[in-house]
Amino acid sequence: MSGCPNSRKCGGCAYIDKKYEDTLQIKQKFVNGLLSKHTRVLPIIGAKNPYYYRNKVHAAYYRDKSGKVLCGTYEEGSHKVVPNSGCLIEDKTASKITETIAKLLAKFKIYIYDEKSGRGFYRRTLVRVSSLTGDVMVVLVVTDPVFPGKKNFIKALRDIHPEISTVVLNV
């Protein structure tokens, strides 16, 4: 699999450009350095598939210069949003849901929160996917408990993603 074009900016996958075996060695050395003087450290057991494993996904939203609503993740150490469509470590279902929400935010004309001005309504989304059951929880993070068109927004989201079992509104 090829590397991620945003890995240096987002910081979510620092080793994505390395061979998986090399990343395991780097991580083993790091853990050994932290813990070996306190306890016995067992070898790291690698994943069967080192891609698309992150079952908890945070997405922030912004408008590009043309006004299109896009989603991504915060650049490491900042609150600048880096687009991450096609992220190699996020669960594919979660990524699709965050991208659907970006489209629905535009369709429902919902104002995206602007960190600089402190204005706007929709802040971010959290999606959790159960690898055991396939259930999906979506948390919509907003700035006000009054969400105009909330029922229609959630209905539209669940029509596209019927796998969503829980929707939480977090103010």
Side-chain angles (χ1 to χ4, degrees):
M1 207 166 248
S2 63
C4 173
N6 294 316
S7 66
R8 300 286 180 254
K9 291 179 181 175
C10 92
C13 54
Y15 305 119
I16 200 78
D17 295 330
K18 298 187 181 305
K19 290 182 187 173
Y20 185 58
E21 294 76 24
D22 294 343
T23 69
L24 293 176
Q25 289 178 357
I26 291 166
K27 291 174 181 181
Q28 185 74 55
K29 185 176 177 182
F30 180 75
V31 171
N32 287 344
L34 288 174
L35 301 176
S36 63
K37 56 188 157 223
H38 304 291
T39 189
R40 190 178 110 202
V41 178
L42 298 174
I44 292 174
I45 299 170
K48 289 179 186 171
N49 179 7
Y51 299 102
Y52 309 111
Y53 62 86
R54 187 164 288 165
N55 69 342
K56 181 173 115 179
V57 173
H58 291 269
Y61 297 85
Y62 68 101
R63 290 189 184 274
D64 67 7
K65 291 178 183 176
S66 71
K68 183 178 179 182
V69 177
L70 299 170
C71 66
T73 188
Y74 290 120
E75 184 175 316
E76 188 173 16
S78 79
H79 277 253
K80 179 182 178 200
V81 181
V82 177
N84 67 343
S85 180
C87 178
L88 298 174
I89 61 174
E90 289 182 356
D91 178 272
K92 289 180 181 181
T93 298
S95 290
K96 288 177 185 173
I97 290 169
T98 60
E99 290 175 13
T100 297
I101 289 172
K103 292 174 185 164
L104 292 175
L105 291 169
K107 179 180 176 180
F108 282 78
K109 296 180 172 69
I110 296 173
Y111 292 103
I112 307 300
Y113 183 77
D114 181 337
E115 297 253 343
K116 290 178 186 173
S117 70
R119 293 185 195 165
F121 176 73
Y122 199 88
R123 290 191 70 125
R124 60 188 157 274
T125 301
L126 167 89
V127 180
R128 288 194 82 119
V129 180
S130 170
S131 57
L132 184 63
T133 65
D135 287 341
V136 178
M137 176 179 74
V138 176
V139 180
L140 311 173
V141 182
V142 298
T143 60
D144 192 307
V146 178
F147 187 146
K150 172 177 62 180
K151 287 182 181 179
N152 291 330
F153 185 89
I154 292 170
K155 182 183 180 324
L157 177 61
R158 292 200 67 234
D159 284 348
I160 298 166
H161 296 283
E163 65 274 22
I164 296 172
S165 57
T166 305
V167 177
V168 176
L169 185 63
N170 182 322
V171 181

